[in-house]
Amino acid sequence: MDQVAQPSVKDLQKSFIYHLQHTLVKDKYSATKADMYLALAYAVRDLLATRWLDTQQSYYLKDAKRVYYISMEFLMGRTLGNALINLGVMEEWDMALKELGLSIEELQEVEWDAGLGNGGLGRLAACFLDSMASMQLPAYGYGIRYEYGMFYQKIVDGGQHEVPDNWLRYQNPWEFDRQEHLHPIRFEGRVVEFTDRDGSKRFSWVDYYEVMALAYDFPVPGYKNNTVNTMRLWSAKASRDFDLNFFNQGNYIGSVESKMKTENISKVLYPADHMLEGKELRLRQEYFLASATVQDILYRFAKKHDNLTELPDQVAIQLNDTHPVLAIPELMRILIDERKLTWEAAWEITTKTFAYTNHTILQEALEKWPVPMVSRLLPRHLLIIFEINRRFLEEVASRFPGDTARLQRMSIIDDSGEKQVRMAHLAIVASHSINGVSALHSEILKDDLFHDFYEVWPERFNNKTNGITQRRWLKHCNPYLADLISEAIGDKWTTDLDELQNLRPLAEDSEFRRRWMDIKRMNKQRLADHIYQRNCIQISPDSLFDCQTKRIHEYKRQLLNILQVVARYNRLKEYPGLELPPRTVIFGGKAAPSYSAAKLIIKLINSVGSVINNDPAVNQQLKVAFLANYSVSLAEKIFPAADLSEQISTAGTEASGTGNMKYALNGALTIGTLDGANIEIMEEVGKDNIFIFGLTTPQAVGLRSSGYRPQDYYYQLPELKTVLDQISSGMFSPGNPGLFRPLVDNLLNSDYYLLLADFDAYMDAQADVDRLYMIPDEWARKSILNTAGMGKFSSDRTIGEYARDIWGIKPQPVEHKGIHHW
Ligand SMILES: *Cc1c(COP(=O)(O)O)cnc(C)c1O
């Protein structure tokens, strides 16, 4: 596998000390822990460097077809641990550092998370990069190098406070600026029409101003295969011209100010998940990413090709949601205005190149941009979008004569109110593939959200159920469990997760169950220590760790969970002898700063927690902990310690979920609705090994359309009524009794996400959980069977399907030649 001898422990120590002394200019007396981390990072980076060069050179020499994954978010987390795992040098480094009196775990904790994403969508992009490199696919991730990533969440008085994530203030050993890869990005100005020498109508974009996109490259190592792919993130820089023009006008301070304004484009990640903010700066960011990436792709293509009709044979572009969809009119613009192709030729190239992944059906998350804003910012692109739409509607009209309602529904331009560009429609019309991210979600796209388009192009629609990388989400985050699994069934699961099914017979082996649960208990103890340090809450590792960690959103129904917690509290108070297994209910997740209901839910969770945690009457049987700043590195501590995974979104709202997969992979049992990938998890682990409850998607849709009356449940379910009355009357906010009333009023008067309708079924399912947890052997069996059933949910499987069905690309193994000679 590796053509170059692996370095010995002595070599590693030498390299570490070399970097400490020569790169950081520190010795063991002056070095801080951060210096030690950096020395290690630089030494590990050296192992990546020649593999990275070899990989890029081999793609070039083979002229391989490349895939470009464009995403506004990459939620990478820490790099060091992943690099150690994928290079296959974790144990050697562990030994090398131990001999120097250092702990590799502690040094990894120094690294700041790369949090350039909100949640599931950004983490999916990160898992996909790992899988593409591990499967030796010639792939690139393209995104934005935000100066400020996802905000750091602090909990103050039970509420969320946002602190800027200035992740670049620390030395970042994992990025390389590529000053030579610089593309001009144009904004504003106007379009002039003219007739060229051949008598064709042409357009030229004039009076624009330019911002430069500067490339920063990050290595993406594959798992033990010598492949190192590239994630390229763009940073905004004022152009030289800009500097000269402005500074020559004599207004020095004003010039610096406008220079800073143009560089603001890559300043900050928008922290709203599943919610469109509609800010102009966000649209600028989207075009900045789209344009820089398309220019880069064409530049790389041009090194070996001059016939643009070959582009779809050399390039596949995957759009991670609609955020980068302006890449479509941008490619059209370049092909037509700059390369002088006909519309028809340009369109054929474009549609064969692009593919679109939809991530949500929530109306408030579907991107729509006001036509006047697009017109001012990107006048040429708006004309191109209009022309795409004109031709498209013509086609629809000829297929469905007289159906004007259909034309309005399908138009890329929504003119029901203020005219808006529907980005999803643009993506669908210009892509040869449109996919959802779970079986259920992809069906909803065909049957409901995009049904009109499905009728026109059924062959374009397909499903790619999401996955997660087992390298980070089992091998790295849960090393003891990973080792136990490898000892039992070998380590092929690291690249073929279906191997986990060989664990099934071991679920019947009592000794194996004991070892399995011993590791779970150890992981729980570690999380308990962490929680004690952060939250000052003492929790028992023998209690059931019941976890709901994900973005805070009404559709995810953290509120339903907390209603159940309050009901449980009431039961324990009323029946002190009640035989329930002790529970620790753990929450984690950020709310968008502008999402007041989500912030109030965080405050409610903490307020309920402080009442329960301080009530000696229930103290031993129930605790609630909200872990601040849910992020990749915190998630890596939570999943291995979880007994129960809460996946309780209203059926039909969660496109897939990937947190559900990480929990089950680490042996947690799921309590969940028939939503997103939960359905497929149920199919894989078996109905007997999962707690499914609540309305199905058709039932939820039916209930809403037949006139849902949440108050019926309030009056019919005395426990529910008590809980809602307690919350709205101020039992958890004595200083401000009306604080949580808006949450309850919303439930009683609208309850769009049907919490009250599902409450009773949820309580019953939780009772089933309690009963099972009291039979430790049975719980252990099911825990093992959950891990054993997770083979399908490797992102390797997902990426294999994208590569085969959508991208048409093949593995390109890399030969590592070692130290390069001139
Ligand atoms: C996996 C993951 C998510 C997605 O969680 P869901 O439960 O699928 O919404 C969000 N944030 C982080 C940090 C994750 O690791």
Side-chain angles (χ1 to χ4, degrees), residues 275-340:
M275 201 154 37
L276 174 65
E277 284 243 37
K279 296 282 193 302
E280 185 185 301
L281 179 60
R282 166 73 176 197
L283 186 60
R284 285 178 191 266
Q285 289 184 338
E286 294 187 356
Y287 178 63
F288 176 77
L289 168 60
S291 176
T293 304
V294 168
Q295 292 184 62
D296 215 44
I297 290 170
L298 292 175
Y299 163 84
R300 189 169 295 117
F301 173 80
K303 286 188 194 173
K304 291 236 171 173
H305 301 267
D306 47 21
N307 182 356
L308 282 160
T309 61
E310 290 165 15
L311 193 76
D313 306 323
Q314 292 297 314
V315 169
I317 301 177
Q318 191 70 38
L319 302 172
N320 196 21
D321 213 310
T322 55
H323 317 145
V325 84
L326 289 168
I328 288 167
E330 176 68 352
L331 180 60
M332 288 293 287
R333 182 189 69 82
I334 294 173
L335 296 182
I336 294 168
D337 293 357
E338 296 182 4
R339 310 295 170 89
K340 313 285 187 242

Side-chain angles (χ1 to χ4, degrees), residues 544 546-547 561 565 583-587 622-626:
L544 188 166
D546 171 356
C547 304
N561 189 347
V565 169
R583 273 208 199 207
T584 301
V585 185
I586 294 168
F587 290 90
L622 185 59
K623 292 264 169 86
V624 178
F626 188 97

Side-chain angles (χ1 to χ4, degrees), residues 356 358 410 424 428-429 431-436 441-464 806:
Y356 157 57
N358 172 278
M410 297 184 77
I428 293 170
V429 171
S431 296
H432 66 278
S433 164
I434 299 123
N435 76 281
H441 171 61
S442 296
E443 288 305 308
I444 292 173
L445 294 187
K446 292 191 290 185
D447 297 347
D448 187 22
L449 190 64
F450 299 144
H451 183 67
D452 290 326
F453 294 91
Y454 177 65
E455 285 184 329
V456 178
W457 297 303
E459 71 286 355
R460 293 191 187 184
F461 285 79
N462 65 93
N463 174 243
K464 296 287 169 279
I806 302 178

Side-chain angles (χ1 to χ4, degrees), residues 75 118-121 123 273-274 468 473 549-551 555-556 630-633 635 639 646-647 654 656-660 662-663:
L75 193 51
N118 273 283
L121 174 145
R123 184 54 231 177
D273 193 47
H274 288 108
I468 56 171
W473 296 114
T549 60
K550 48 182 75 250
R551 286 303 289 257
Y555 87 81
K556 293 177 182 274
Y630 186 55
S631 54
V632 172
S633 55
F639 294 119
E646 298 267 356
Q647 307 299 336
E654 187 74 271
S656 163
T658 49
N660 46 4
K662 299 169 201 165
Y663 276 112

